[in-house]
Amino acid sequence: MTGPDEVRPGASDAATPEVDAFTRPYWDAAAEGHLLIRRCGACGRAHHYPREFCPYCWSEDVTWERASGRATLYTWSVIHRNDLPPFGARVPYTAAVVDLAEGPRMMTEVVGVEFAALRVGMGVRVAFREGVPVFRAG
């Protein structure tokens, strides 16, 4: 069985968080096909999900940085049932956690990969579905 490559039109609307002034750069970059992470100027560590402070040293000296888009698969679960819109229209799908090359761990979805072919440590690359980052083999 293969995971879905695309969702049905309109199926992802409710899964996209509301954009606010702080997250606008992240979503604008995603709409252009770029993944952004945050990096702390005080301790140098990268983090994701975007926050206005560093979760490691609590500094507010954090800036946006374009990520390479490369990652490795840390873990996953194939979801066969989900009653919450829009996820019910996507089943089965692969919910996953990936380790970005820059260091942060990110929750995501893996698309376009046979479920049986998924392996811990496999290389994946970011792709975008309707402005939302997902990952494909690569």
Side-chain angles (χ1 to χ4, degrees):
M1 183 178 284
T2 301
D5 280 337
E6 303 296 329
V7 293
R8 295 184 247 298
S12 70
D13 296 343
T16 304
E18 284 189 39
V19 176
D20 61 22
F22 171 69
T23 61
R24 180 162 305 286
Y26 178 84
W27 294 112
D28 287 350
E32 295 175 7
H34 304 292
L35 178 63
L36 295 184
I37 58 175
R38 300 282 280 174
R39 184 163 306 271
C40 178
C43 72
R45 294 182 72 177
H47 64 271
H48 187 81
Y49 63 92
R51 285 163 268 198
E52 296 185 56
F53 62 91
C54 175
Y56 303 105
C57 73
W58 299 96
S59 171
E60 293 181 6
D61 180 17
V62 289
T63 58
W64 293 105
E65 174 181 300
R66 186 182 291 185
S68 68
R70 293 177 291 112
T72 56
L73 185 59
Y74 176 74
T75 191
W76 74 93
S77 181
V78 177
I79 310 301
H80 293 278
R81 181 180 174 131
N82 190 332
D83 296 331
L84 299 173
F87 304 106
R90 295 183 186 170
V91 293
Y93 64 91
T94 304
V97 177
V98 299
D99 288 327
L100 299 175
E102 294 78 10
R105 194 163 271 169
M106 178 179 175
M107 293 182 68
T108 188
E109 183 179 345
V110 174
V111 298
V113 180
E114 295 276 343
F115 298 145
L118 295 166
R119 297 286 181 265
V120 169
M122 74 181 284
V124 291
R125 290 194 65 77
V126 73
F128 293 86
R129 180 182 55 211
E130 297 181 30
V132 176
V134 296
F135 283 77
R136 297 182 177 279

